[in-house]
Amino acid sequence: MLTDHLPRVTIAHLPTPLEPLPRITSRLGGPELWVKRDDQTGLATGGNKTRKLEFLVADALRHEADTLITCGAEQSNHARQTAAAAAKFGLDRILVLRGRRPVEVTGNLLLDNLLAADVVWADDEPLDKRMEEVAEQVREEDGHPYVVPYGGSNPVGAGGYVAAMEELIDQAESHDLTFDRIVLASSSGGTQAGLTVGARALGYQGRILGISVEPGGASLRETLAELATATANHLGLELAFEPVDFAVNDDYLGGGYGVVGDLERDAIRTLARIEGLLVDPVYTGRAFGGLLDMIRRGEFRSDETVLFWHTGGTTGLFGTQQELLGT
Ligand SMILES: *Cc1c(COP(=O)(O)O)cnc(C)c1O
C-alpha cells in the first residue's frame, strides 16, 4: 500500500462497509447511489478522524508524547475521536474548544466528558494560539505534549485518507463497480486532500467533489492543493497539486458553520425515513442535502454511479434536538 512505510497504529474497523442505497436511488430516478460507511470506523461512535488518528497517534508515540492536545468546535467530532484515541493508548488529552462552556453537556461534549478529556474553553481566542499556550503549560509540568492540528488535517493525518482511497478502489473492484463521482463533506481538507492524492497515485478516474460546510470556498481549494502536495511529499510521491485540481461546491453554507437549516433537516429525515441511515446535522446532513439538490437540478446523469462518503458525526444529532424537532 502507498502508506505501508509510515508509522501507524490500529484503531479503526477496516475496511468500512460499502453499501448501496437502492431505495433513495429509485425515488430519485438515478444516479445510482452508494455509501462508504466511515461513520462506522468504530472509535467511540466513529467518524473520519479515526483514520487520520491511526497515523497521528503513531507519530505522537514516536515522539514519546504523553499528552494529545487538539481543538475544535463545541460539538467537535474530531476532538471526541482524538480524546478516545488518546485514552486507548494511555495518553492524557486536552481539548481546546471554541466559545464558552455551555449550560447543557450533550452529544460529543458528553462523550468528551466520559472520555475524561480536559476541556479548555477558548472563548473568541484563536484556537492555535490557545493550543500552544496549553502545550507550553504541559511542558512546564514536565509533560510531553503532541499537538494535533484542527481536524487532524496535516500531511500525517491526511495519509489516512490516501490509504482509504486505496481501500475503496479494492472494494469497488470486488463489487465490480466504478464510481463516476465521490461526494463528501469538506472542511479542514484532510479527507478530500488525502482521497485526491490516493486517486492520482493509483490512477483512479472518477471525480471527487467536496461540499464545503464552512465559509471560504476559494481558500478551501488553496488549502486542499497545499495539503495534497505536502501529503504526497510526506508519502514519498512526486505529485503536485493546484487549486484547479479540486472540485468544491460552496453553495450550501446556509446560515454558516453548524447552523441547522431546512437543507440539513430534510436530508437527515429523508435518509432516515427511506434508508434507515443516519447523517449528522453539521457535515454529512449538509453534504447529502447538497447532493440531493444537485441531483434535482440535473447536475448528475441518471446512469452515473455516485458514492457518498459518510464521514460520521451522528453523535452531533444528540446535541441539536431543538433544531431537528423545530419547525
Ligand atoms: C471533520 C469532519 C468532516 C470534514 O473532514 P475534513 O477532513 O476536516 O475536511 C466531515 N464530516 C464529519 C462528520 C467530520 O467530523
Side-chain angles (χ1 to χ4, degrees):
M1 288 187 70
L2 294 168
T3 52
D4 273 351
H5 56 298
L6 298 179
R8 180 177 186 172
V9 296
T10 300
I11 306 176
H13 299 177
L14 302 178
T16 56
L18 176 65
E19 298 173 340
L21 294 172
R23 287 170 47 79
I24 192 145
T25 296
S26 89
R27 290 284 174 107
L28 294 164
E32 184 178 330
L33 293 176
W34 286 70
V35 62
K36 177 70 171 154
R37 299 293 305 272
D38 275 15
D39 57 320
Q40 303 291 313
T41 53
L43 179 66
T45 76
N48 63 337
K49 304 313 181 303
T50 302
R51 289 187 189 266
K52 302 179 184 182
L53 284 161
E54 290 200 333
F55 293 89
L56 289 160
V57 169
D59 195 48
L61 295 174
R62 221 165 49 95
H63 285 90
E64 299 185 350
D66 57 17
T67 307
L68 295 189
I69 299 171
T70 199
C71 65
E74 180 189 310
Q75 282 293 337
S76 169
N77 302 302
H78 165 67
R80 178 253 309 159
Q81 286 164 86
T82 303
K88 192 173 170 67
F89 288 86
L91 306 170
D92 288 340
R93 45 270 183 199
I94 307 176
L95 308 176
V96 174
L97 302 184
R98 197 174 285 139
R100 297 175 196 207
R101 182 187 305 279
V103 179
E104 273 193 274
V105 174
T106 60
N108 282 299
L109 203 50
L110 170 63
L111 300 194
D112 296 342
N113 180 284
L114 300 179
L115 293 161
D118 284 330
V119 176
V120 173
W121 293 97
D123 213 337
D124 296 331
E125 272 191 82
L127 297 175
D128 284 344
K129 176 168 158 267
R130 284 300 281 134
M131 284 202 293
E132 256 327 300
E133 288 166 6
V134 168
E136 193 47 46
Q137 241 170 310
V138 171
R139 273 183 221 108
E140 276 167 20
E141 289 158 18
D142 293 326
H144 299 279
Y146 181 92
V147 175
V148 176
Y150 185 68
S153 285
N154 61 9
V156 175
Y161 271 88
V162 178
M165 190 70 205
E166 198 156 2
E167 174 183 306
L168 175 74
I169 290 171
D170 286 349
Q171 231 172 3
E173 267 175 22
S174 68
H175 284 75
D176 215 3
L177 276 170
T178 6
F179 292 108
D180 300 296
R181 280 199 252 193
I182 294 173
V183 177
L184 74 152
S186 203
S187 168
S188 65
T191 306
Q192 190 172 355
L195 291 176
T196 305
V197 171
R200 173 91 65 88
L202 298 166
Y204 167 80
Q205 297 295 323
R207 281 184 290 162
I208 299 171
L209 170 67
I211 308 271
S212 176
V213 303
E214 272 186 274
S219 66
L220 177 57
R221 271 198 196 82
E222 277 162 36
T223 304
L224 288 167
E226 271 174 40
L227 182 55
T229 303
T231 302
N233 288 343
H234 176 65
L235 266 68
L237 300 167
E238 279 187 39
L239 300 173
F241 296 85
E242 299 293 331
V244 295
D245 295 329
F246 297 88
V248 170
N249 185 328
D250 52 10
D251 289 343
Y252 302 106
L253 295 168
Y257 177 82
V259 179
V260 182
D262 288 339
L263 180 93
E264 294 81 17
R265 246 189 314 268
D266 290 350
I268 292 167
R269 288 189 179 278
T270 300
L271 270 177
R273 195 177 69 238
I274 300 179
E275 294 279 2
L277 177 68
L278 298 176
V279 286
D280 86 282
V282 180
Y283 298 90
T284 51
R286 180 164 288 178
F288 200 84
L291 173 59
L292 286 176
D293 185 64
M294 290 175 73
I295 291 170
R296 290 189 185 114
R297 287 166 181 276
E299 294 182 34
F300 291 82
R301 291 190 327 270
S302 60
D303 63 351
E304 279 183 73
T305 305
V306 176
L307 178 72
F308 180 70
W309 204 301
H310 193 328
T311 45
T314 44
T315 304
L317 291 169
F318 306 102
T320 48
Q321 296 94 319
Q322 302 302 329
E323 294 94 318
L324 293 171
L325 294 171
T327 61

